[in-house]
Every structure is written in structure tokens, then in C-alpha cells.
């Protein structure tokens, strides 16, 4: 399996990219909010990687860390166009969000469906490692 960055020029020249963009010609928006203690403490420095497996290729769409408020705003992701004449459930594209918090050795994976012009909020609750906080007692 190959790993590509979605914005890499070499990847943009592939048939895999062309098909994916053809199927997902619009965009949706993702917001990450990370916290601990029943949303009382924001978690800054949480590493986020948003990716998708496309034709057995791991494609990374976003890499970054949460700010001091525990937030990453407005991650723009490709999404399929909505058909206003279709009354069935709208088409979506599913992405994988990997959240890693090195301070507490926490790593979690979330899946999120993206729709055209919809702002999706993914909350991430970090449970601190109490042994690390107590000095390993």
C-alpha cells in the first residue's frame, strides 16, 4: 500500500485522484474539538491525521495539532455533490481521523461521514493517564 498526500502533485496526476475528485467534486468541513474532564479542560497539542483508503492507497488529507483551545477549525475535505431531486439519504464520503496524544500515550481512531456544505464536529475525549500524572506511584 502506498501513502500519498492529497495535495502532492505526483498524486494529482494519477487516475485514482481523478476518479476520486470526479466522485467528490464538492467539499464539506470538519472541526475537531479535544477535551478532558467532562469538557472542562481543552487538550492542546493533540496530533490529528485525516486520511482515507482509496484503491488500496492511504491518502492523507490533513495533518495538524489542536490549538490552546483544543480545536482545529475548518478542515476542508472533498465530498460528493448533493442531488436536490433525490429524497433518499444523501451520498457521503467516509474519512478516518487518527488522534494521538503523546503526553498520555493515547491513540484513537474515529470515522466521520462528510457531506456537501455540511460542517461536521468531531469531539475527542482524552482520559489522562493517572499513573503518569502521579509520577508513576
Amino acid at each position: 500500500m502506498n501513502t500519498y498526500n492529497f495535495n502532492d502533485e505526483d498524486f494529482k496526476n494519477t487516475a485514482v485522484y481523478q476518479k476520486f475528485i470526479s466522485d467528490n467534486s464538492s467539499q464539506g468541513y470538519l472541526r475537531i474539538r479535544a477535551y478532558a474532564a467532562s469538557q472542562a479542560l481543552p487538550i492542546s497539542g493533540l496530533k490529528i491525521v485525516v486520511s482515507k483508503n482509496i484503491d488500496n492507497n492511504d491518502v492523507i488529507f490533513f495533518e495538524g495539532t489542536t490549538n490552546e483551545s483544543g480545536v482545529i477549525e475548518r478542515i476542508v475535505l472533498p465530498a460528493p455533490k448533493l442531488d436536490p431531486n433525490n429524497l433518499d439519504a444523501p451520498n457521503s464520503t467516509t474519512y478516518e481521523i487518527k488522534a494521538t496524544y503523546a503526553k498520555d500515550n493515547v491513540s484513537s481512531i474515529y470515522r466521520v461521514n462528510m457531506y456537501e456544505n455540511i460542517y461536521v464536529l468531531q469531539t475527542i475525549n482524552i482520559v489522562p493517564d493517572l499513573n503518569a500524572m502521579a509520577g508513576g506511584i
Side-chain angles (χ1 to χ4, degrees):
M1 178 182 329
N2 295 320
T3 300
Y4 296 102
N5 185 302
F6 184 70
N7 296 316
D8 182 11
E9 288 300 321
D10 290 337
F11 180 64
K12 285 184 175 183
N13 293 325
T14 65
V16 171
Y17 175 89
Q18 299 300 326
K19 169 119 176 59
F20 181 77
I21 284 299
S22 173
D23 294 343
N24 297 280
S25 58
S26 191
Q27 56 192 13
Y29 309 97
L30 175 64
R31 180 179 193 238
I32 304 290
R33 182 167 179 268
Y35 57 85
S38 297
Q39 301 186 23
L41 299 172
I43 300 293
S44 65
L46 179 72
K47 181 179 180 188
I48 298 293
V49 176
V50 180
S51 64
K52 180 171 182 57
N53 187 302
I54 305 170
D55 289 344
N56 209 24
N57 295 292
D58 190 24
V59 180
I60 297 172
F61 289 82
F62 175 85
E63 287 185 85
T65 57
T66 55
N67 64 19
E68 63 279 350
S69 298
V71 173
I72 299 175
E73 289 284 355
R74 201 173 163 92
I75 301 169
V76 179
L77 297 170
K81 283 207 161 291
L82 295 179
D83 180 0
N85 298 321
N86 186 349
L87 298 178
D88 293 332
N91 291 334
S92 67
T93 297
T94 303
Y95 292 91
E96 183 176 279
I97 302 168
K98 183 174 183 184
T100 306
Y101 192 57
K103 290 181 184 177
D104 286 333
N105 197 26
V106 173
S107 183
S108 299
I109 294 178
Y110 303 85
R111 286 183 178 67
V112 63
N113 293 330
M114 298 302 298
Y115 301 90
E116 178 181 30
N117 294 325
I118 300 293
Y119 214 108
V120 176
L121 170 65
Q122 177 64 57
T123 57
I124 299 172
N125 184 23
I126 300 294
V127 178
D129 181 354
L130 297 179
N131 288 331
M133 292 176 70
I137 297 176

